Amino acid sequence: MRVLMVASECVPLMKTGGLADMVGGLSQALVGLGCDTRVVMPSYPGVAERVRGMKQIAWYDDLFGGPANLAIAEVDSGPSFVLLDAPHLFARPGNPYLGSDCKDYPDNHLRFAALCRAAARLVVEQPGGWTVDVVHGHDWQAGLTSAYLSLGDAGLPPKVFTIHNIAFAGLFPAGELTRLGLPASLFDPEGLEFYGQISFLKAGLVFSDRLTTVSPTYARQLQSTELGMGFEGVLLARRNHLTGILNGIDESTWNPETDPLIANPFSSRSLVGKRANRAALQSTMKLELDATSLLFVVVSRLTDQKGLDLLAAAIPALVAQGGQLALLGSGSTALEALFERAAVDHPGRVAVRIGYDEPLSHLLIAGGDAILVPSRFEPCGLTQLYGLRYGTIPIVARTGGLADSIIDANEAARAVGAATGILFGPDDLTELERALARAFELFADQVAWESLIHAAMCQPVGWDRSAAAYKHIYELARADQFGR
Ligand code: ADP
């Protein structure tokens, strides 16, 4: 089966968050299942230098204001990349969505419409005879692909669209419709209109044949007013075509036995290396070298979604019970300031690193005793899955993919050795503090804690099962089409 992924970011070429991990991990796993997979994405600065043997396959004299070309880089293993080189849109260093003023680029609608146009063209023109069996778009940046393809003839391949986070709706002024090359007929509540604006995300939801999201619980939550963020009606109407599939993690990158970014490899058979990583983490982050304290870690974007303001409020309780906290993240200046203040108030017990740091994230996840994910909502979440793999016990809010991936250490689950973490009610400081108290209680009983570690590390978190589930969705989408 030939699968064309459309995404604004993909590991290993560009990453700002879990979207890139998912597109890269799933594409790689699909190749393993025999799918000929290509990922079309923008050629941001530095991206083309990281792939070899680029071959031009299409070009434009004018793609939304400048010349552009599409080039393919075949790779030895894994998916091939088709890079959209459009310097007037993408030759901008740093974050792919934000300018140096930390605001969205004002032409983001043109930038990602260009990506979608290029993807649609690959599907229609089949350069090199590569016929696409399924087009799979990810998040709002890829949403217009389905709209452009819906304007083509009926023989085009089916479109699958994945919602990674409904909070990003890709909203732009209605007046831009013509400039985007879309007919006025699509600007309708049944089409891509969202309360008077164009929503790229809604285009993906309405014009795709099958929808997926990144966990079964989030698939249900998306149909509620509480978490549907205004799209619940569309998703309720399309519920028979919406499937939640939990993300996996890339186990060639995240494996405590082979991780080159940690000094001391370890496995569930021997945790000696984990203890050495813990000491290395304390020393790197300038925490007290305390072998007995419960060391919590966080690796996260610092945004309201992640519920970290609640964690900041719980720090006095965490420290009072003898805990330590190491946090790596960046985002809202208010949250950054809150955690930097906490580090000053609790020297040696709370350490904070503001920024994006891949190697340090591996050390935190390898060296921590417990990883905190107190999100208000969380479509899937990846760091709790890394935590499972590295025996760093996830303490997570009961929402979205967090609820689907962690088994709470209640009496029944512990009795059968199934517990892998601690769950608590989201958006509730008392619940979070209770969860921390439970963690301290379990940690004080090293036999109980090690049994959690073993169960966590044995939990399957790779892509195998989930990639097979996506392949099944592709087959269903194709069957729907042939049945039409
Ligand atoms: P989201 O996509 O909402 O940010 P996820 O948990 O799905 O959250 O994915 C976040 C990804 O980004 C994970 O791979 C995580 O390790 C990584 N990450 C987040 N913040 C940082 C950071 N400051 N430094 C390094 N990696 C980070």
Side-chain angles (χ1 to χ4, degrees), residues 15-19 21 254 299-301 305-306 328-330 355-358 361 378 381-383 386:
K15 166 174 165 177
T16 69
L19 165 65
D21 287 308
W254 292 97
V299 177
S300 183
R301 289 187 293 120
Q305 173 198 335
K306 301 292 178 179
L328 166 64
S330 63
Y356 188 92
D357 189 331
E358 197 77 37
S361 72
E378 192 59 72
L382 292 176
T383 59
Y386 304 153

Side-chain angles (χ1 to χ4, degrees), residues 154-324:
L156 290 173
K159 307 165 287 290
V160 174
F161 183 75
T162 296
I163 307 154
H164 293 256
N165 191 336
I166 201 102
F168 302 107
L171 296 178
F172 301 101
E176 293 293 299
L177 200 70
T178 314
R179 200 151 161 224
L180 294 170
L182 294 166
S185 58
L186 297 194
F187 192 72
D188 183 273
E190 299 291 309
L192 48 69
E193 180 188 348
F194 186 72
Y195 298 103
Q197 289 185 286
I198 298 168
S199 165
F200 280 29
L201 180 91
K202 193 165 170 212
L205 302 183
V206 170
F207 296 112
S208 302
D209 302 276
R210 291 262 166 184
L211 305 176
T212 75
T213 189
V214 289
S215 69
T217 294
Y218 194 54
R220 284 191 297 279
Q221 291 175 324
L222 284 174
Q223 298 169 48
S224 70
T225 42
E226 200 193 349
L227 286 181
M229 304 212 177
F231 294 98
E232 58 275 10
V234 184
L235 289 165
L236 259 176
R238 300 222 56 202
R239 64 185 176 281
N240 293 335
H241 291 89
L242 170 66
T243 311
I245 301 171
L246 197 68
N247 283 342
I249 62 172
D250 176 359
E251 290 183 293
S252 62
T253 306
W254 292 97
N255 179 344
E257 293 181 50
T258 56
D259 188 338
L261 296 174
I262 57 171
N264 308 285
F266 62 97
S267 71
S268 60
R269 293 178 301 284
S270 167
L271 298 171
V272 176
K274 184 161 179 69
R275 285 189 277 276
N277 291 317
R278 187 179 189 284
L281 171 58
Q282 287 172 324
S283 140
T284 304
M285 296 288 282
K286 302 198 170 43
L287 287 165
E288 283 164 21
L289 280 174
D290 180 343
T292 57
S293 69
L294 172 44
L295 173 52
F296 297 91
V297 295
V298 173
V299 177
S300 183
R301 289 187 293 120
L302 303 182
T303 65
D304 186 56
Q305 173 198 335
K306 301 292 178 179
L308 292 164
D309 49 319
L310 300 173
L311 174 61
I315 284 177
L318 185 156
V319 171
Q321 290 169 91
Q324 290 182 317

Side-chain angles (χ1 to χ4, degrees), residues 132-166:
V132 178
D133 292 316
V134 175
V135 188
H136 186 170
H138 298 267
D139 262 357
W140 73 264
Q141 296 90 344
L144 284 194
T145 313
S146 299
Y148 289 130
L149 287 171
S150 75
L151 303 170
D153 62 38
L156 290 173
K159 307 165 287 290
V160 174
F161 183 75
T162 296
I163 307 154
H164 293 256
N165 191 336
I166 201 102

